[in-house]
Amino acid sequence: MNITKLKDKVFSRAFFRGVIAISIFLIIWEVGARFESWYGYRVPWIGLIPAPSAVFESWGGLIGDPSYWMSWQMSFMRVLGGFFAAMILGIPFGLFMAVNRTFHDTAFPTFEILRPIPPLAWVPASIIFWPTAELSIAFVTFLGAFYTIVINVLGGAKSINKQYLQAAQSMGASQWDIFRRVVLPATLPSIVVGSAVGMGITWEVVVAAEMISGGGGSGGAGGGLGFFIWNSYVGGSYEQIVVGMISIGIAGYFSSEMLRNLGGFLTPWLKTR
Amino acid sequence: MSAAMNTDTNLQTNVTNVTKGAIRIEDVVKVYDPDGAAVMAVDHCSIDIPGGEICMIVGPSGCGKTTLLNAIAGFHGITSGEIYLDNELLCGPGKMQAEPGSDRIVVFQNGALFPWKSNLENVVFGPMMEGKLSKTVIYDKAIKMMADAGLGGTEHSFPGEVSSGLRRRVEIVRALMLEPKVLLFDEPYRALDSLTKSVMHEALLDIYYKNKVTIFFITHDLEEAIFLGHRLIIMSSRPCKPKKIVEVDIPHPRDYSVLTSPRFRELMEEAKGVVNEEAKKAFEAGEKEG
């Protein structure tokens, strides 16, 4: 992005609306949280939460703390690990179900019965299955993304315009060419959408899994952002709870943004619509 | 029919001596039987199309014209009868579905350019799949053919970036790259506005004069049919069967001045009565788009 484009973006109306909205949100939060100490009346709900100034102060103290960054790293690794495993297994699985009727009829019913089970319901079973807590967390995050990716790939590959297939066929493309040059690129937009949704679910799941499992053996430092929040709660540091929550928001945003850019790069023809 | 009779000699001068691409449809029947309720789409249909003719198949929506086209293309089979291309059996007893092949290319109703490939990559797709020629030869040929068809400068755009009229032209060039004997058009200009359509008609004739192939063209636009075709085959409403044949004795090459000629109006009148009658029948039978 060049400088003028960046300038246009920063000084655009949409950008200002965003800034104003966030400022108003922070002001209401700050006033609400401080109201009791100023006027002796506790505002319901907001009055119980630490003020944003206190949160940022506490955050400032954490920036230099390696164990806070360790939490980021742990969660990111679990999310990416589970997510990539889900892509590697889910995309071929979905594609194969779409192109092979026998496989579809065999695998789909089982898949559909397992799919509605929330990934978090797998936590106890996964702790029993897997030798380490780390593997159980990764497995649960994997499940979060896997079903979404499969169902999107399957739907995308099944709804390919039949005329693309017929056109390729009449131009003499072999079955393999049709798969590689028609089915695959035609499904790519659905793969991107499925991955973006799957990534969101992965973040939801990893945090809950970290809280439940106690964050993988190595105590507070190796626990990830979910465990960071839980630990802050148990330790009574309410500012840090909010720091953890905002950290997850930022981490999730970066993951989605990364995926959006990758998706845009892989499907350049969609920009023209 | 008298008009059709005395134009036989004219027709000979219209269709140049193209020896390839003659289609013979003999007594073809197609019955759809999805859940036991047999629906007859094509009823004992016989059509003889000489090589190099532009044959316009006119009929009400959903009458089964596309069924016939799909049978020639090999996208689905027939119930009985035979279809020949240059006296070779495409489908018939023992082999009810033809093999799809690059000698018969379809230009689809809604367009079937691959949106993920640039226009140029779309045009080279067929020959690249065939793998007979080297990549440079194929690309050179594609760029030249695109330039001839007025598509210079759009080579590296995606189909979604150019107008629908240009897209159709890209699709026709893509089809011609394989040097087919027959081009099968399934209402290709249906979604275009009338201005774009008239430009496309002249462009198609232009391309046709340079590459003489047999054209099997489905439409329900009578004006389009008479402007383009050597011959109109007006189909009855479902089941589909030739009802009337109109020979268009306006000499090629044609341009848009033809539309205002008295002969064109006469032919319109001649065909209109039959088409309207069939359209009414189809409407009363409650036929849906298909």
Side-chain angles (χ1 to χ4, degrees), chain A residues 160-174 177-178 181-183 185-187 268-270 272-273, chain B residues 70 75 100-102 104-106 108-117 122 125-126 129-130 158 160-161 174 178:
Chain A
I160 294 175
N161 184 349
K162 210 172 140 203
Q163 296 188 334
Y164 294 152
L165 304 174
Q166 292 180 331
Q169 204 183 8
S170 79
M171 284 189 286
S174 63
D177 279 324
I178 289 178
R181 296 174 198 279
V182 180
V183 175
T187 315
W269 67 92
L270 293 180
T272 62
R273 295 285 154 84
Chain B
N70 283 339
F75 296 148
S102 57
R104 294 151 280 136
I105 301 279
V106 179
F108 289 96
Q109 201 170 69
N110 301 310
L113 288 175
F114 304 129
W116 52 85
K117 286 183 180 296
N122 264 291
F125 184 87
M129 288 297 101
E130 266 189 339
F158 287 113
E161 290 173 314
R174 175 172 85 170
L178 286 159

Side-chain angles (χ1 to χ4, degrees), chain B:
Chain B
M1 272 317 258
S2 64
M5 288 304 180
N6 60 33
T7 57
D8 259 355
T9 45
N10 261 331
L11 189 71
Q12 290 311 311
T13 56
N14 269 348
V15 180
T16 41
N17 318 325
V18 177
T19 46
K20 287 189 306 181
I23 296 177
R24 203 162 81 240
I25 300 169
E26 262 175 25
D27 212 27
V28 165
V29 175
K30 172 71 181 180
V31 178
Y32 283 108
D33 196 5
D35 358 76
V39 177
M40 197 183 237
V42 179
D43 178 17
H44 298 279
C45 175
S46 298
I47 301 174
D48 209 339
I49 306 170
E53 183 181 87
I54 304 179
C55 181
M56 309 297 289
I57 310 291
V58 186
S61 291
C63 84
K65 299 166 292 191
T66 303
T67 306
L68 211 49
L69 179 138
N70 283 339
I72 299 172
F75 296 148
H76 56 57
I78 54 177
T79 310
S80 73
E82 291 124 57
I83 300 177
Y84 295 90
L85 173 60
D86 290 336
N87 292 321
E88 269 177 54
L89 187 72
L90 282 178
C91 53
K95 178 190 163 204
M96 294 322 272
Q97 182 167 356
E99 289 280 324
S102 57
D103 50 355
R104 294 151 280 136
I105 301 279
V106 179
V107 177
F108 289 96
Q109 201 170 69
N110 301 310
L113 288 175
F114 304 129
W116 52 85
K117 286 183 180 296
S118 73
N119 289 328
L120 182 59
E121 287 172 332
N122 264 291
V123 170
V124 299
F125 184 87
M128 290 297 279
M129 288 297 101
E130 266 189 339
K132 277 192 228 152
L133 301 168
S134 78
K135 199 176 160 184
T136 25
V137 172
I138 293 171
Y139 272 82
D140 285 349
K141 185 179 170 192
I143 288 167
K144 193 183 162 295
M145 281 192 73
M146 286 180 80
D148 278 352
L151 289 165
T154 64
E155 288 92 345
H156 301 290
S157 310
F158 287 113
E161 290 173 314
V162 300
S163 72
S164 53
L166 289 181
R167 267 206 296 278
R168 284 308 144 90
R169 234 182 280 184
V170 174
E171 202 170 356
I172 294 169
V173 172
R174 175 172 85 170
L176 288 170
M177 277 292 282
L178 286 159
E179 292 166 9
K181 294 176 183 167
V182 182
L183 277 184
L184 303 160
F185 286 85
D186 189 1
E187 296 191 52
Y189 303 140
R190 168 190 193 144
L192 301 184
D193 60 273
S194 59
L195 273 176
T196 313
K197 221 177 187 179
S198 62
V199 176
M200 288 310 295
H201 290 153
E202 285 191 319
L204 174 64
L205 286 180
D206 219 41
I207 295 172
Y208 168 77
Y209 298 141
K210 286 178 196 155
N211 318 262
K212 286 275 162 64
V213 288
T214 309
I215 292 180
F216 182 93
F217 194 118
I218 290 178
T219 181
H220 55 224
D221 179 341
L222 210 48
E223 200 167 297
E224 167 174 278
I226 296 175
F227 179 66
L228 292 174
H230 291 111
R231 199 155 57 121
L232 267 57
I233 299 182
I234 300 173
M235 298 297 214
S236 61
S237 61
R238 185 167 280 199
C240 163
K241 182 177 189 166
K243 173 148 184 168
K244 182 179 170 65
I245 292 175
V246 178
E247 307 279 358
V248 182
D249 51 355
I250 300 168
H252 279 277
R254 298 175 189 164
D255 62 34
Y256 249 72
S257 62
V258 163
L259 285 184
T260 48
S261 70
R263 185 68 191 132
F264 186 87
R265 287 295 136 198
E266 272 171 46
L267 287 165
M268 275 295 273
E269 290 309 314
E270 186 184 342
K272 212 169 214 166
V274 190
V275 170
N276 278 353
E277 191 186 319
E278 286 310 318
K280 219 176 273 169
K281 261 191 231 160
F283 184 74
E284 276 157 16
E287 297 281 5
K288 295 263 154 42
E289 282 292 285

